[in-house]
Amino acid sequence: MIFDQAFSFQSLLDAHRKCRRSKQHKKDVINFEIMLGEKLVKLSADILAGDYETGRYKKFMIFDPKKREIEALFYTDRVVLMALSVGIIEPLCERKLIHDNVACRKNKGTLFGTRRIEKHLKTYYQQQGKDGYALKCDISKFFQSINHTVLIAKLQRMGFDERTISLMTKIIRAKESSPDTGLPIGNQTSQWFALIYLDDLDRFIKEKLRIKFYVRYMDDFILVHHDKEYLKHCKREIEKFAQDRLVLRLNKKTQIVQLKNGIDFIGFRHVLCDGGKVLRLLRGQAKVRMKKQIRKLAKAKATAKTRADKDFIAQSLNSLRAHIMHSNARHLFYLECKKRFANDPQYGMICNHDKHKDRQRNRIDNP
């Protein structure tokens, strides 16, 4: 019944509306909308009859913050993945995943993860003081290394019905370049599959290793403990568990650091200070990227011809501002914006320094 509802005409229409946000000017979206009703009826019938097959992937490269190959399905398939994620995967997984698994979930994300690690550090300070250590772990080539057999077995244990498992299996195994391992980064379902894949590791760390202060954002996770030797033991156990159960390995960035030296996590450096205060610092590389993005947007503004182009630049600038405002680099952001967007009324509200909002933000981030 849930499967039928998730892929009904109305559910697919809702999925289409979510997928088209900020992309309504794209050619494949326009082509899909020309015969929208007819296409949704056929798509719903094919999925419910078990005849749906995914299309081929298109590939492209991104270079920020590092070089990655993105593989994405065409628009029709993205509507199906959205309906599957929203209608079936999300409702079940939200009940089963641990609270400290913070990526790509409702009311969670990078800011939630940032506040969560800082809350752990403040609680740790109250119990143990300033001295302590953090084991920072990262999976080597995570999305490319996910084993399809292990993932499908995990999905079956989570309680998805047979039709859902059959559809998800088609989606997982549709990657032609690597039929047994790997998930394409560009898929909506890949984010959920990645969260699910490491769920057993989350429970191993929380329940077997008894780590109280733990946060995971996708394949990047932090363990905080007062005993450095115990964290070394945890590292060995995690490596063994990941290799034996998940066919994964930790990369060279995995290390144990002192809390007073700071923890790099989700784009910020979190430093535990005297009195239990946690400083949230923007890393040097992130500052360089921020300046580069502002220069790029200023250059695009100079050549923008339509209202849509200018709105896109404003949205991009607002998005960057929303991230930077939760760090110590907000003044650097304003200075750079003043230099690049001086006396431009359309971008003035974004670039102006609002001290009242800064004070409000500090109260939220540092209660």
Side-chain angles (χ1 to χ4, degrees), residues 4 16 58 60 82 85 87 90 132 232 237 254 316 344 360:
D4 293 338
H16 157 66
K58 52 183 177 181
F60 57 93
M82 179 64 74
S85 298
E90 183 178 347
K232 289 180 180 178
E237 291 297 311
T254 298
S316 301
D344 193 321
Q360 284 184 321

Side-chain angles (χ1 to χ4, degrees), residues 282-326:
L282 196 67
R283 292 180 293 183
Q285 287 183 342
K287 290 179 182 179
V288 172
R289 285 201 304 272
M290 177 192 72
K291 289 184 177 181
K292 184 179 177 182
Q293 283 179 279
I294 293 172
R295 287 198 301 269
K296 188 176 178 181
L297 290 171
K299 187 177 179 181
K301 184 206 74 163
T303 58
K305 295 179 180 179
T306 66
R307 177 75 184 177
D309 291 336
K310 294 177 180 178
D311 288 345
F312 177 78
I313 293 166
Q315 289 170 10
S316 301
L317 200 59
N318 250 325
S319 177
L320 180 61
R321 178 178 184 261
H323 178 70
I324 299 299
M325 288 306 99
H326 294 281

Side-chain angles (χ1 to χ4, degrees), residues 142-352:
F142 177 50
F143 277 88
Q144 299 96 312
S145 302
I146 290 176
N147 183 281
H148 294 172
T149 303
V150 174
L151 174 59
I152 292 167
K154 173 65 178 176
L155 293 172
Q156 290 171 334
R157 292 197 303 273
M158 292 191 75
F160 291 105
D161 63 65
E162 288 184 13
R163 285 196 293 174
T164 303
I165 291 292
S166 176
L167 177 59
M168 290 194 293
T169 300
K170 285 181 182 179
I171 293 166
I172 291 167
R173 297 196 183 278
K175 193 180 176 199
E176 298 173 355
S177 58
S178 183
D180 300 318
T181 58
L183 294 177
I185 297 176
N187 280 359
Q188 174 78 13
T189 50
S190 293
Q191 313 302 317
W192 281 104
F193 292 153
L195 296 181
I196 294 165
Y197 195 79
L198 291 182
D199 180 60
D200 289 342
L201 179 61
D202 292 336
R203 298 184 182 280
F204 176 76
I205 292 169
K206 296 283 287 184
E207 297 167 11
K208 300 297 182 183
L209 298 179
R210 310 298 293 176
I211 296 295
K212 182 178 180 181
F213 305 112
Y214 169 76
V215 182
R216 175 166 74 87
Y217 188 91
M218 206 54 76
D219 64 321
D220 191 2
F221 50 99
I222 305 288
L223 294 73
V224 177
H225 200 270
H226 66 275
D227 188 346
K228 186 176 182 180
E229 292 303 316
Y230 185 68
L231 286 181
K232 289 180 180 178
H233 166 73
C234 290
K235 181 174 178 287
R236 291 191 295 269
E237 291 297 311
I238 290 169
E239 285 176 331
K240 186 175 185 300
F241 185 94
Q243 179 63 47
D244 296 346
R245 297 277 298 274
L246 303 174
V247 201
L248 298 173
R249 59 186 179 85
L250 301 180
N251 67 18
K252 294 179 181 179
K253 291 188 285 186
T254 298
Q255 58 182 321
I256 297 173
V257 298
Q258 288 184 292
L259 297 182
K260 63 182 180 182
N261 292 334
I263 305 169
D264 285 344
F265 188 60
I266 320 181
F268 297 110
R269 189 170 186 81
H270 308 274
V271 183
L272 181 60
C273 303
D274 293 325
K277 183 177 180 180
V278 179
L279 293 180
R280 188 188 302 169
L281 309 177
L282 196 67
R283 292 180 293 183
Q285 287 183 342
K287 290 179 182 179
V288 172
R289 285 201 304 272
M290 177 192 72
K291 289 184 177 181
K292 184 179 177 182
Q293 283 179 279
I294 293 172
R295 287 198 301 269
K296 188 176 178 181
L297 290 171
K299 187 177 179 181
K301 184 206 74 163
T303 58
K305 295 179 180 179
T306 66
R307 177 75 184 177
D309 291 336
K310 294 177 180 178
D311 288 345
F312 177 78
I313 293 166
Q315 289 170 10
S316 301
L317 200 59
N318 250 325
S319 177
L320 180 61
R321 178 178 184 261
H323 178 70
I324 299 299
M325 288 306 99
H326 294 281
S327 75
N328 66 321
R330 59 175 71 97
H331 302 293
L332 184 62
F333 173 84
Y334 289 127
L335 287 172
E336 192 67 23
C337 283
K338 268 190 175 181
K339 189 194 307 183
R340 305 291 174 181
F341 294 93
N343 303 320
D344 193 321
Q346 182 167 358
Y347 306 99
M349 290 296 292
I350 301 171
C351 302
N352 284 341

Side-chain angles (χ1 to χ4, degrees), residues 89-150:
I89 299 177
E90 183 178 347
L92 179 62
C93 290
E94 281 295 342
R95 302 197 306 268
K96 293 181 178 288
L97 299 177
I98 69 167
H99 186 64
D100 285 316
N101 180 350
V102 301
C104 306
R105 295 168 65 186
K106 191 175 181 179
N107 299 322
K108 296 191 178 182
T110 54
L111 185 56
F112 177 87
T114 296
R115 290 173 178 166
R116 189 67 179 159
I117 190 65
E118 290 177 1
K119 182 178 180 181
H120 283 331
L121 290 174
K122 290 173 183 177
T123 305
Y124 176 88
Y125 182 87
Q126 293 170 358
Q127 298 177 2
Q128 301 287 344
K130 183 181 175 182
D131 295 329
Y133 301 89
L135 171 60
K136 184 179 184 302
C137 299
D138 200 344
I139 304 294
S140 178
K141 298 180 180 178
F142 177 50
F143 277 88
Q144 299 96 312
S145 302
I146 290 176
N147 183 281
H148 294 172
T149 303
V150 174

Side-chain angles (χ1 to χ4, degrees), residues 23-35:
K23 296 179 178 65
Q24 56 266 38
H25 60 286
K26 296 290 184 69
K27 183 179 178 180
D28 51 351
V29 179
I30 295 170
N31 288 337
F32 187 82
E33 289 186 321
I34 290 173
M35 300 288 288

